[in-house]
Amino acid sequence: SYLVLKFGNENGFIEDKCYKPGNKCLSSCEDGGKKISVDNYYYVGGSYGRCDEEKMIEELEKNGPFVVSFEPTYDFMHYQSGIFESKIEKPSWKTLNQTKPQWQKVDHSVVLVG
């Protein structure tokens, strides 16, 4: 999500209605849609890996909704509503007795609103 927002800061985004099948990486909209810019982006906690639940709550209360990214378990694709709680035990670097990875793998981003 950080890199997506960095891209938006440098290039801006266009509205969904501007994208047509087969078109990629458009920088303008033929249908009169507006370009959306990203004015500010940063890691909650100040830098990568320094975020925790308390800092996320503080950020939400202070500045409103923001983007969070995560790597869900396989059963997340069946999520429909409410609070998701996986039934699959996903091993972590801690449970595997490995050193903390430099980067966390993610493949989903959502807007945290509350």
Side-chain angles (χ1 to χ4, degrees), residues 9-103:
N9 177 262
E10 294 172 359
N11 303 288
F13 297 109
I14 56 175
E15 293 180 284
D16 285 346
K17 72 177 183 175
C18 299
Y19 290 98
K20 306 284 188 239
N23 289 345
K24 297 177 184 174
C25 299
L26 300 174
S27 60
S28 62
C29 183
E30 298 169 3
D31 294 337
K34 60 184 174 184
K35 193 167 190 176
I36 302 161
S37 65
V38 174
D39 295 329
N40 194 1
Y41 62 99
Y42 52 89
Y43 286 116
V44 173
S47 63
Y48 180 81
R50 301 199 66 159
C51 186
D52 59 26
E53 291 176 8
E54 288 179 22
K55 290 178 181 134
M56 292 172 74
I57 292 169
E58 181 181 327
E59 179 70 22
L60 188 62
E61 290 174 345
K62 185 177 177 185
N63 296 311
F66 61 94
V67 176
V68 296
S69 298
F70 55 99
E71 172 81 18
T73 52
Y74 176 77
D75 56 341
F76 183 74
M77 70 194 248
H78 301 290
Y79 168 77
Q80 292 183 1
S81 65
I83 297 172
F84 174 75
E85 191 170 336
S86 179
K87 305 297 182 210
I88 297 173
E89 182 73 29
K90 186 176 180 181
S92 71
W93 61 271
K94 288 181 181 178
T95 59
L96 295 172
N97 291 326
Q98 298 174 342
T99 58
K100 184 177 180 181
Q102 187 174 7
W103 293 98

